[in-house]
């Protein structure tokens, strides 16, 4: 995937550089461009179509068979239309050629997918680290305002537990306190902590970053 993206990025940069010549003619900066220039752009665009567009279109088709529309479908339609219309314009001798647009859309989509994959892999590694944490006991508030400790294996649904700032939430639960800041970065990849209030669900593996969280185990 990395090789395909690098190859498409290099080709796309060259395509955009060549397209500047055509746009300069349209802006009357130059009088004419070589007649073979559109064919050079067409030839450069073909590897991008093969390396980038074909996998995108294949994924879009698989999701379409499940009656779902994804970002791959949008990229496939827009980049495919730009490529096909450019071929038709080139064959008809018109100037409305957008090979660089098709290649740019494909390359940007590949970059986004690479970033998403890296973030997902990092989140999975962080989640695995959380799952390996050995949490043996938790605090449980009692009516007189004190706290007692419960072994994790003795905690059942409906029990109220208390998690302080910096601690990991060991159970799925529902917030019963006024509010606290909770980070779910290792689960969702969302870097910013979220403020939870009474009634909000909190998943196991989240981390309390500020305040004290009272949680009814679900």
């Amino acid at each position: 995937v990395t090789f395909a993206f690098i190859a498409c990025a290099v080709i796309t940069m060259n395509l955009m550089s060549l397209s500047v010549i055509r746009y300069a003619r349209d802006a009357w900066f130059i009088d004419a461009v070589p007649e073979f220039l559109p064919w050079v752009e067409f030839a450069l665009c073909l590897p991008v179509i093969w390396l980038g567009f074909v996998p995108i279109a294949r994924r879009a088709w698989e999701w379409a068979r499940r009656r779902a529309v994804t970002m791959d479908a949008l990229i496939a339609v827009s980049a495919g239309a730009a490529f096909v219309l450019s071929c038709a314009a080139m064959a008809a001798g018109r100037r409305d050629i957008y090979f660089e647009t098709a290649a740019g859309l494909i390359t940007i989509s590949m970059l986004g997918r690479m970033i998403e994959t890296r973030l997902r892999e990092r989140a999975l590694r962080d989640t695995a680290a959380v799952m390996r944490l050995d949490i043996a006991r938790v605090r449980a508030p009692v009516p007189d305002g004190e706290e007692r400790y419960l072994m994790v294996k003795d905690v059942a649904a409906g029990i109220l537990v208390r998690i302080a700032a910096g601690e990991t939430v060991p159970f799925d639960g529902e917030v019963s306190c006024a509010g606290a800041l909770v980070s779910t970065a290792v689960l969702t990849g969302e870097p910013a902590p979220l403020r939870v209030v009474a009634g909000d669900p909190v998943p196991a593996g989240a981390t309390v970053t500020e305040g004290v969280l009272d949680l009814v185990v679900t």
Side-chain angles (χ1 to χ4, degrees):
V1 176
T2 303
F3 168 77
F5 166 72
I6 293 175
C8 289
V10 172
I11 294 172
T12 298
M13 285 188 291
N14 283 277
L15 265 173
M16 290 184 173
S17 298
L18 291 173
S19 67
V20 170
I21 301 175
R22 291 188 291 100
Y23 294 134
R25 176 192 58 188
D26 295 339
W28 305 102
F29 291 132
I30 60 176
D31 296 330
V33 298
E35 294 184 359
F36 60 83
L37 183 62
W39 290 98
V40 173
E41 294 184 55
F42 169 75
L44 286 174
C45 193
L46 287 178
V48 180
I49 295 295
W50 175 254
L51 293 173
F53 178 79
V54 171
I56 292 172
R58 186 180 295 119
R59 290 193 301 268
W61 174 247
E62 290 298 326
W63 281 106
R65 292 174 59 185
R66 304 174 193 175
R67 298 182 180 180
V69 178
T70 64
M71 183 60 70
D72 286 330
L74 300 178
I75 296 297
V77 170
S78 55
F83 180 77
V84 171
L85 291 175
S86 296
C87 290
M90 184 178 65
R94 301 199 310 270
R95 296 183 177 183
D96 49 333
I97 296 174
Y98 305 103
F99 290 120
E100 80 288 349
T101 302
L105 288 171
I106 294 167
T107 303
I108 292 173
S109 175
M110 294 174 70
L111 175 60
R113 189 170 184 84
M114 283 182 58
I115 294 174
E116 179 186 2
T117 301
R118 297 289 174 84
L119 291 176
R120 185 183 296 114
E121 290 175 352
R122 187 174 68 181
L124 288 174
R125 288 195 301 268
D126 292 342
T127 302
V130 169
M131 297 304 292
R132 289 194 297 269
L133 291 177
D134 186 14
I135 303 175
R137 60 180 188 170
V138 293
R139 287 187 299 273
V142 292
D144 60 5
E146 298 295 327
E147 296 176 348
R148 63 191 176 99
Y149 283 94
L150 297 176
M151 300 302 293
V152 169
K153 62 183 180 64
D154 297 328
V155 177
I159 291 180
L160 181 67
V161 298
R162 177 167 291 168
I163 300 99
E167 296 180 345
T168 300
V169 179
F171 311 101
D172 292 339
E174 185 176 287
V175 179
S176 67
C177 60
L181 284 179
V182 174
S183 171
T184 58
V186 299
L187 303 174
T188 64
E190 173 58 49
L194 303 175
R195 181 166 295 280
V196 294
V197 296
D200 288 345
V202 175
T207 303
V208 180
T209 60
E210 184 181 308
V212 176
L213 182 65
D214 285 349
L215 199 70
V216 178
V217 176
T218 58

